Amino acid sequence: MPKFFALIPAAGSGSRIGEDLPKQYLHLAGKPMIHHAIGTLCSDGRIAHVIVVLSPDDSHWSQHDWSEFSSKLILLNCGGATRAESVLNGLSALETSIAIADDDWVMVHDAARPCLTSVQLEKLLDELTNDEIGGLLAIPVADTLKRSNTNQRATTTEPREGLWQAQTPQMFRYRLLTNALSSADGINVTDDASAIEALGLHPKLVLSDSNNFKVTYPQDLALAELILQKRKIP
Ligand code: CTP
Ligand code: MG
């Protein structure tokens, strides 16, 4: 039976949020942001290990206590210059550090999506376990879409039918994802699914909801804090 692994790329600096601390360490609901994603992934009974990919010069991880996750957590200090590079470096390092098979599943999840729920995670696993290719959590685009000219004036309204916003986790088999990211050099790969699509394959879109958003701009912090605090109340 194929095993399940989660991999969290956490080697970014959070430039758009504009804080001194890399955003994965900003405090949300009393914990560093990345703690929330690690907690949700580690608490899933099907996931064997959760791999965190840090920047080689990370000086923040060791300032926190991660012992509650020690049975599942694997730490790698091999992050790269882009998200895709961090994921690929992590996947490559796994080949020599743990027993991972070509057809084992890897769920790649952004450290910057702290509001992922166990329900969303289980839905992804349930819908993809027997899938040929794999897929990702996503939501249909809700807003009306405008195309602008260079003066920031709307020229046309784009049809939103068939358009989705990609989220994470994104779940693919170990060898397929490693090969896809290795051969995606030069393509603008902002998520794992785009490397799979570049091979001509069609990842499945698993319906999620907007609470699993990516904390990107300063104003996103307050919403994430609100969602996480609300969940703490029984
Ligand atoms: N990431 C990574 N290695 C990089 C860049 C990003 O592991 N070289 C990770 C981030 O830490 C984050 C995820 O990829 O968990 C999604 O990236 P993003 O939200 O863009 O985070 P940052 O790149 O840190 O933020 P920004 O783009 O605003 O600088
Ligand atoms: Mg980035």
Side-chain angles (χ1 to χ4, degrees), residues 4 32 36 49 92 108 127 130 136 182 193 201 229:
F4 297 92
H36 298 284
H49 286 290
S92 307
V108 183
E127 288 201 26
N130 296 314
L136 60 147
S182 307
L201 300 172
Q229 286 290 4

Side-chain angles (χ1 to χ4, degrees), residues 43-63:
S43 62
D44 190 290
R46 280 179 280 187
I47 296 177
H49 286 290
V50 175
I51 298 109
V52 176
V53 180
L54 302 177
S55 156
D57 54 12
D58 185 294
S59 60
H60 301 283
W61 176 269
S62 59
Q63 294 174 25

Side-chain angles (χ1 to χ4, degrees), residues 2-7 37-51 71-73 105-109 116 118 121-122 124-125 169 171:
K3 288 197 272 192
F4 297 92
F5 297 90
L7 186 147
I38 294 174
T40 305
L41 293 163
C42 281
S43 62
D44 190 290
R46 280 179 280 187
I47 296 177
H49 286 290
V50 175
I51 298 109
S71 63
K72 287 203 181 178
L73 211 53
W105 288 105
V106 181
M107 267 152 284
V108 183
H109 183 62
L116 172 72
S118 301
L121 182 61
E122 277 179 30
L124 183 78
L125 282 157
M171 172 171 161

Side-chain angles (χ1 to χ4, degrees), residues 71-82:
S71 63
K72 287 203 181 178
L73 211 53
I74 295 174
L75 203 60
L76 299 171
N77 281 84
C78 60
T82 62

Side-chain angles (χ1 to χ4, degrees), residues 9-17 23-24 53 80-83 86 110-112 214-216:
S13 63
S15 56
R16 285 171 288 180
I17 222 156
K23 73 176 168 185
Q24 56 273 28
V53 180
T82 62
R83 181 190 183 280
S86 296
D110 295 327
K214 183 158 70 72
V215 176
T216 305

